[in-house]
Amino acid sequence: MVKRRRFLKNFSLGTVTALTLIACQDSNSTGKLENQDSNASTTTSSKNPAVKSQTTVKLGAVTGINSIDVWIPYDLGYFKAAGLEAEIIQFKSATKMRDALVAGEIDFSAQAPLHVYLSRLKGIPLKVVANRRNIVDAALIVRKDLEASTRQVLDLKGKSISVGAIGSWSWALTQKYLQHHGLDPSKDVKYVASESSTNYALVKSGQVDAAVTPPPDLTRLIQEQAGFTLVDPTEPSVHQEYFGALEAMTRAWLAHERILKEKPDAIAKLVEAVNQTMQYLHTHSPEEVAETVAKRYEGTPIPVLTESIKRDIKRAIPDNASISKNAYLADQKVFIDTKIVTKLVPYEEGVYDAAAGNRA
């Protein structure tokens, strides 16, 4: 098992090249997606007859359904309406995306605030500039055939659990779930890194006994009766029990401080598009949202996509991009408790809320 100290030792913030580049304006270039379709263009022009001056930005996003709130504003024209000429670059690794942000290869990244904490402790001035999620949505799920013998978290002793990279967000949550019940994660369970396979595949095939995973893998395993939820943090009482708060800002928009000087108007424009996206998510049915983003998730069955949006995404998406100090601290506490983060990064240091605003 890879030790925590190896992860911390190997933590680096060097320049990297994006694994998958998707330039969203030029459909004639290699590796680039099609322009916004005619419906999106019509929607944008009808709602915003006077197009704002455009600021060119590169936005980083990881592959998967957690980036649903990145694709919606692109496909519906919200970025352009807010004055952003956006190019979306996809990454398979959140760590490599963070390194690209630090190196100036992208202007904003849609990812966990964890990368602000780690970077700040290395003297690198990343900041949260807008909120994307209000709660933890990664549940502890167990293989269905083990349900009779696994009634509580303590019953996982001796079993195997799929996690992402050691030191990752899902790994930290696994630590939190186990430690809360007195288990020693380094001795009482067997970690299986899921970097080369999905949690869905590992649980479904019986290669692991349990996993900490968000949708759509979580949704699909439940729908196919291949797994059952042992800890569901989307339930308010469970979230309060494990994280000491009803909210935790688990995902956000991040930027390097240089953006405040080089593109000061870009943050306000991003926040405008984020707010419009959140309004859309809360005022449209899961079926409508699924139809909007279906082309971005062709490998995900529509019923799974719809249920993931209904059950998890809508619960976790906040009303707007405003940032809560309590939610920021609750998220950071997970990593302090698991010793991934060795020192508290104060709200005032890790957050720029002039555009997004703040709330209790």
Side-chain angles (χ1 to χ4, degrees):
M1 183 186 74
V2 181
K3 300 294 185 180
R4 181 187 298 110
R5 61 175 177 273
R6 185 180 301 171
F7 162 74
L8 295 174
K9 179 180 178 182
N10 292 336
F11 172 73
S12 68
L13 293 164
T15 303
V16 297
T17 301
L19 298 182
T20 307
L21 174 62
I22 302 181
C24 298
Q25 280 72 46
D26 186 358
S27 62
N28 296 319
S29 299
T30 303
K32 296 183 178 182
L33 289 178
E34 69 278 7
N35 287 328
Q36 297 172 6
D37 57 36
S38 58
N39 290 334
S41 299
T42 301
T43 300
T44 301
S45 61
S46 63
K47 291 184 177 180
N48 303 278
V51 179
K52 296 182 180 180
S53 61
Q54 298 292 296
T55 302
T56 300
V57 292
K58 293 182 179 180
L59 309 177
V62 293
T63 56
I65 199 172
N66 284 327
S67 293
I68 189 173
D69 54 322
V70 180
W71 289 117
I72 286 173
Y74 168 68
D75 288 334
L76 295 183
Y78 296 161
F79 285 137
K80 185 173 288 292
L84 292 179
E85 198 69 35
E87 177 182 317
I88 300 175
I89 302 176
Q90 284 189 298
F91 296 80
K92 293 182 180 178
S93 163
T95 299
K96 291 182 178 179
M97 179 164 64
R98 175 203 63 212
D99 291 349
L101 181 66
V102 172
E105 296 174 1
I106 55 178
D107 300 303
F108 299 98
S109 63
Q111 62 186 139
L114 164 65
H115 299 286
V116 169
Y117 319 145
L118 292 175
S119 299
R120 280 282 170 178
L121 294 178
K122 292 282 185 177
I124 298 171
L126 297 188
K127 282 185 176 288
V128 171
V129 297
N131 185 22
R132 293 177 56 229
R133 296 291 190 276
N134 265 352
I135 60 173
V136 176
D137 62 358
L140 175 56
I141 192 167
V142 181
R143 277 175 26 213
K144 189 68 173 179
D145 60 305
L146 297 175
E147 187 169 12
S149 60
T150 313
R151 297 293 187 181
Q152 55 184 338
V153 175
L154 282 172
D155 294 331
L156 291 176
K157 186 171 184 178
K159 292 181 169 61
S160 58
I161 298 182
S162 170
V163 297
I166 302 299
S168 67
W169 184 66
S170 62
W171 180 83
L173 290 180
T174 304
Q175 299 267 310
K176 189 76 173 178
Y177 291 149
L178 297 178
Q179 290 174 350
H180 186 77
H181 293 273
L183 291 176
D184 184 339
S186 66
K187 298 178 181 178
D188 293 334
V189 298
K190 177 185 177 183
Y191 282 141
V192 177
S194 59
E195 295 165 286
S196 60
S197 186
T198 65
N199 284 326
Y200 169 79
L202 291 171
V203 174
K204 179 83 172 180
S205 64
Q207 295 180 65
V208 297
D209 300 317
V212 171
T213 188
D217 283 358
L218 170 64
T219 311
R220 193 173 181 183
L221 287 166
I222 293 174
Q223 280 195 346
E224 296 178 6
Q225 296 189 348
F228 70 97
T229 303
L230 195 59
V231 177
D232 181 4
T234 65
E235 294 295 335
S237 61
V238 176
H239 201 280
Q240 179 72 47
E241 177 185 353
Y242 284 89
F243 305 106
L246 292 176
E247 290 187 1
M249 188 177 60
T250 58
R251 296 184 189 89
W253 280 102
L254 313 185
H256 193 283
E257 279 188 2
R258 63 172 168 266
I259 295 298
L260 277 65
K261 299 178 181 179
E262 296 175 0
K263 299 181 179 181
D265 61 332
I267 297 176
K269 291 179 176 181
L270 177 67
V271 167
E272 180 180 335
V274 170
N275 285 338
Q276 194 168 4
T277 300
M278 291 173 177
Q279 181 181 11
Y280 170 84
L281 279 163
H282 286 301
T283 56
H284 289 73
S285 70
E287 291 77 14
E288 290 174 303
V289 177
E291 183 179 350
T292 296
V293 299
K295 65 182 178 181
R296 304 300 177 190
Y297 304 104
E298 292 181 350
T300 302
I302 290 295
V304 172
L305 183 59
T306 303
E307 183 62 24
S308 295
I309 293 167
K310 176 182 179 181
R311 183 187 179 281
D312 297 294
I313 300 299
K314 278 182 170 284
R315 289 187 186 182
I317 291 284
D319 292 333
N320 55 58
S322 63
I323 304 166
S324 162
K325 182 175 182 179
N326 290 337
Y328 168 86
L329 294 174
D331 176 73
Q332 190 173 178
K333 189 174 186 299
V334 174
F335 303 102
I336 291 176
D337 289 348
T338 53
K339 296 181 173 57
I340 294 175
V341 175
T342 57
K343 183 181 178 182
L344 176 71
V345 177
Y347 178 88
E348 294 73 19
E349 182 179 334
V351 174
Y352 173 80
D353 61 14
N358 60 71
R359 57 189 172 81

